[in-house]
Amino acid sequence: MSKKFAYVQTELPGPKAKVLLDRRHDVVPQGVGYGIPTFVDSAKGALLEDVDGNRFIDFAGAIGTINVGHSHDTVVSALHDQVDRYIHTGFNVMMYDSYIELAEKIAALAPGHFKKKVMFLNSGAEAVENAVKIARKYTNRQAIVSFSGGFHGRTLMGMSLTGKVRPFKYEYGPFAPEIYRAPFPYAYRRPESMNEDAYTKHMLKEVENFFISEVDPSLVAAFIMEPVQGESGFIIPDKAFVQGVYELCKQHGILFIADEIQTGFGRTGKYFAMEHYGVEPDLIAISKSMAAGLPISGVIGREEVMDTAKPGELGGTYCGSPLGCRAGIAVLDIMEKEKLNERAAIIGEKVMDRFKKMYDRFDVIGDYRGLGAMCALEFVEDRESKTPAKELSNHILKEAHQRGLITLKAGVHDNVIRLLMPLVITDEQLSEGLAILEESIEAVLGS
Ligand SMILES: Cc1ncc(COP(=O)(O)O)c(C=O)c1O
């Protein structure tokens, strides 16, 4: 295939990257992982160039952080302007208007027919942590229920809530107390005897039974759910399941926290993926694509819930930094002007079309699924046994890197390739990236 955008002229790592990689191994612990063995030189839109002059199409977007594209002019000029005026005063010392403006805009966009308040933090895990703090304070209850396969970050609370042991929790206990994990539906791996409807009903029943076997609902402060499980391989729950859990929450005075850290800001074709399910979360944790790469996160919530904490109980030194807020405002501006929600839906259709063709071609693709532009391929040894093909997906990923496509793995069984490309990707770049993916599968299977 002749390529217009991807161009890899060296083995990875190339000579300059190799020097940096050796230095990295010497000084950075191996626990800090990396997806591709090279180092960036520049990035723009959906393209990345490394220090050896190799050019890649980016289907990873810094794990779903770059929905508006790398170094978008609007973001860059907002940041330059901010740096020239001031860098940091601490919102808890001297406040700035960009924090307010971003909070107002986000509150107006978030789902829920009630008055909302918004606070900002630094990272996704910190947003989750604060949503939990707020929920406990408001309900005066301690238990938090997360879901099997859910991922909520790498801090003690994030790890405790996360429903996948390796590599996130293994040998890092003890974990925070009063965390319970309910079962989450995984339609592709449901028992053969059940159709999707029956499976959803069964899973909801399991959540109800959970209140008998694990924790009394009167003690539960909140459920926390990803609208689409990200790290676990883009597992999309049935609408009836999400609504059922939401109803259970209402019935028992439990708050519903949506972890929209990976799904938010256009990824699924909406500002918030929970909009697909027609539920109105009491609290929403956001981060990643809200600020095009600046480290900022937030919690959005019902006014009365958010206002339970007393002055000084929430926040932190760098929370909602001026640079993050300015980038966040720029992102919302770009999303509206460039109609990125609509674009995500179109990208999703194109990807699913191509996935369908790949599925028809390769038996090792057990499932392909997507919501908007949050699409994934699940690899299996064969379609009957559905045995996860972890090594195969590793090889495909490596092959794709060498051919100039950056993409990521995910999955409860580490056998899923997920796509999180910038939504500003052009049709040509998208189709070249998908062709490289297909070519990589073909090359690995042929070898
Ligand atoms: C759904 C979800 N929650 C929480 C987090 C943690 O975010 P951070 O890595 O910024 O702490 C992530 C990160 O991948 C995520 O995808």
Side-chain angles (χ1 to χ4, degrees), residues 136 173 307:
R136 283 179 165 163
D307 268 338

Side-chain angles (χ1 to χ4, degrees), residues 63 122-126 128 151-154 226 230-231 259-262 287-288:
I63 323 187
N122 300 292
S123 67
E126 211 181 350
V128 166
F151 178 77
H152 302 286
R154 289 181 151 87
E226 290 168 88
E231 289 300 313
D259 180 342
E260 291 261 11
I261 288 162
Q262 196 164 145
S287 189
K288 290 193 185 269

